[in-house]
Amino acid sequence: MSTDDLSGMGPLVARLSRGGQRLRHADRAHPWVLDTAVVALVFLMFCLPDLFPHGGGDGGDGDGRHFRLAFTQLPVAGMLTLQAGLVLPLLWRRRRPVAAFGVIAAVFVLQWSLGAALRADVALFVALYSLALHGKWRQLPWACAATAGAMVLVAVRASAAVSVWDALFFLLSTATAALALGLMVRIRRAQLAGLRDRAARLEIERDQRSRLATATERTRVAREMHDIVGHNLSVIITLADAGAYATDLAPERGKEALRLIGDTGRQALGELRRVLGVLREPADGPRGGPELSPQPGIADIDALCAKVRAAGLEVVYRTSGDVEALDSGVQLTVYRIVQEALTNTLKHADTDARVHLAIIETDTRLTIRVQDTGPAITLPGPHEEGHGLVGMRERAALYGGTVSAGPAAGGGWSVEAVLDLTPEGGAR
């Protein structure tokens, strides 16, 4: 075969595939059309030659005539009745394959019991094929046994013209071929159905993963915005109250409070733009994207404490261990937990309260302790926890840590978070 012939096979296969798909769609819409076409084809090919025999089809030898004379010659009415019993049940061979096979097998046995031979007997093999394709598995052994018994009857009846063993070999081979073809088509359809089902499941799983990723990202952004907005608004509100109080008594302190409010607002606006900017599609390629800045870490806690001090609280901050060498993800978690704890202190403690902040790093764990001297607050119920405490626990859980919050032993409120610094591999 030449290269041109091979290159033309692609469009041909595509046309055949499209034609097969159209036929399958048409068959699902009008299944009776195919069943009627099968009955009509069997009648034209195998029934009409028996109804209108001709004498020149035997090639001039006596074997064909001897074979015909070995069987009973039926009248036309009897022949039509047997042909109808063999062919018409094929109309429901797909909807009720067991019933169709049973009727055809019964007529087949009756016909050969009368000693008649008909070309329409091919309907038994069509029914066996349909039963293997559409029937239940447990019905096949009974159908095979019935077919084998019918084939033995035919071989015995044809022994006057053909050897019993030759006839039995030919008939059983034909029945086996029909059965094997039906099973092969059935297995192939089951495989294709399994592949389609697997593809559908994979598509559903892909959509689910996409939705989970979207929900996770939304949760992360919501947590970041809560930390940013909650802390900076608390600072701004505290500075505004202090500035309003100091305007008449110490105008310079009022101006300083207003300046700090502006700085805090600009910082909060910048952080919000950074968080929300990463959610947008860049309009003009890489240059149109948001201006990104590094995530805050432990080094930024000093500036955070300075803002809280400017709002009127006294903050005592100390660290222990090599906290600057921690992973950037751990540092961001520490910063957000400290930010949320200080925000809660700004909301609930008095302006003259003192906050003790300690970050202690050891080989395998990191402890964050924030304790103030303000009044104790009511801890929400397990189903009424604020977003701040839930956010701190979620952040700590990323590193196998825990967060506890409650009244301190010496008065005030205490928040303590413990993070696990052990790498996933086990050794540090």
Side-chain angles (χ1 to χ4, degrees):
M1 183 178 291
S2 64
T3 305
D4 295 337
D5 295 335
L6 289 175
S7 61
M9 290 297 291
L12 176 61
V13 172
R15 285 196 295 271
L16 291 176
S17 177
R18 288 194 296 269
Q21 290 179 356
R22 286 195 292 269
L23 287 177
R24 285 192 293 271
H25 291 321
D27 182 50
R28 283 195 290 267
H30 306 285
W32 58 270
V33 175
L34 179 59
D35 296 332
T36 305
V38 170
V39 171
L41 182 64
V42 172
F43 178 79
L44 293 175
M45 293 183 61
F46 300 100
C47 295
L48 286 182
D50 285 334
L51 294 175
F52 302 99
H54 53 85
D58 300 331
D61 56 12
D63 294 340
R65 181 176 177 81
H66 177 72
F67 183 82
R68 290 198 305 272
L69 293 176
F71 299 100
T72 303
Q73 299 298 317
L74 296 175
V76 176
M79 188 179 299
L80 282 174
T81 302
L82 290 175
Q83 287 178 346
L86 290 171
V87 175
L88 289 181
L90 295 178
L91 288 172
W92 62 83
R93 64 185 181 87
R94 294 190 293 179
R95 288 168 294 175
R96 300 186 182 277
V98 177
F101 177 82
V103 173
I104 293 174
V107 176
F108 183 89
V109 172
L110 174 62
Q111 168 213 320
W112 282 97
S113 299
L114 297 175
L118 296 175
R119 291 180 174 89
D121 291 338
V122 71
L124 180 65
F125 302 112
V126 177
L128 181 62
Y129 162 82
S130 300
L131 181 60
L133 179 58
H134 303 289
K136 297 179 180 179
W137 290 105
R138 65 174 181 271
Q139 298 165 346
L140 289 180
W142 300 101
C144 293
T147 303
M151 296 302 103
V152 171
L153 175 61
V154 174
V156 171
R157 282 290 187 177
S159 60
V162 183
S163 169
V164 174
W165 296 110
D166 292 343
L168 195 60
F169 174 78
F170 172 76
L171 293 171
L172 290 179
S173 298
T174 306
T176 303
L179 180 66
L181 181 61
L183 292 176
M184 182 187 70
V185 175
R186 180 172 185 160
I187 293 173
R188 178 61 177 169
R189 289 183 180 179
Q191 290 176 341
L192 292 177
L195 290 176
R196 286 192 293 268
D197 182 65
R198 183 171 180 269
R201 288 199 308 270
L202 289 176
E203 185 175 357
I204 292 174
E205 292 176 1
R206 181 199 63 191
D207 294 340
Q208 289 177 343
R209 286 195 298 268
S210 177
R211 287 194 292 267
L212 287 174
T214 301
T216 302
E217 183 64 15
R218 287 178 177 176
T219 302
R220 185 190 68 81
V221 172
R223 188 165 55 230
E224 291 287 333
M225 291 183 62
H226 173 270
D227 293 340
I228 295 170
V229 175
H231 171 74
N232 288 285
L233 283 181
S234 297
V235 173
I236 289 173
I237 291 171
T238 304
L239 288 173
D241 292 340
Y245 178 77
T247 298
D248 297 331
L249 302 179
E252 292 299 326
R253 293 293 300 274
K255 292 181 180 180
E256 179 67 15
L258 292 176
R259 186 185 64 79
L260 290 174
I261 289 174
D263 293 341
T264 303
R266 280 188 291 271
Q267 180 183 356
L269 183 60
E271 292 185 7
L272 284 177
R273 284 176 176 172
R274 175 178 57 79
V275 172
L276 298 179
V278 297
L279 301 179
R280 299 195 195 101
E281 292 288 344
D284 302 320
R287 293 183 180 179
E291 293 291 336
L292 301 181
S293 60
Q295 293 277 25
I298 293 179
D300 300 294
I301 293 180
D302 286 322
L304 183 65
C305 293
K307 290 197 301 181
V308 175
R309 294 188 186 100
L313 293 179
E314 182 181 354
V315 180
V316 179
Y317 171 45
R318 68 182 182 89
T319 62
S320 175
D322 192 7
V323 295
E324 298 291 341
L326 293 174
D327 179 76
S328 58
V330 177
Q331 293 199 33
L332 175 62
T333 298
V334 173
Y335 180 89
R336 293 304 186 195
I337 291 176
V338 171
Q339 184 183 49
E340 181 61 35
L342 294 178
T343 300
N344 289 336
T345 301
L346 281 173
K347 291 179 180 178
H348 302 288
D350 297 330
T351 55
D352 57 348
R354 172 178 294 186
V355 182
H356 295 274
L357 169 61
I359 302 176
I360 304 170
E361 186 265 346
T362 61
D363 290 337
T364 58
R365 57 190 290 175
L366 179 71
T367 303
I368 308 161
R369 188 177 296 112
V370 182
Q371 182 176 347
D372 61 64
T373 59
I377 61 176
T378 303
L379 185 66
H383 302 288
E384 301 175 352
E385 290 183 345
H387 292 289
L389 185 57
V390 173
M392 285 191 287
R393 285 177 174 166
E394 288 180 354
R395 290 183 182 278
L398 294 176
Y399 295 94
T402 59
V403 174
S404 59
W413 191 259
S414 174
V415 175
E416 182 172 331
V418 179
L419 307 183
D420 186 6
L421 301 180
T422 304
E424 292 185 0
R428 185 172 171 82

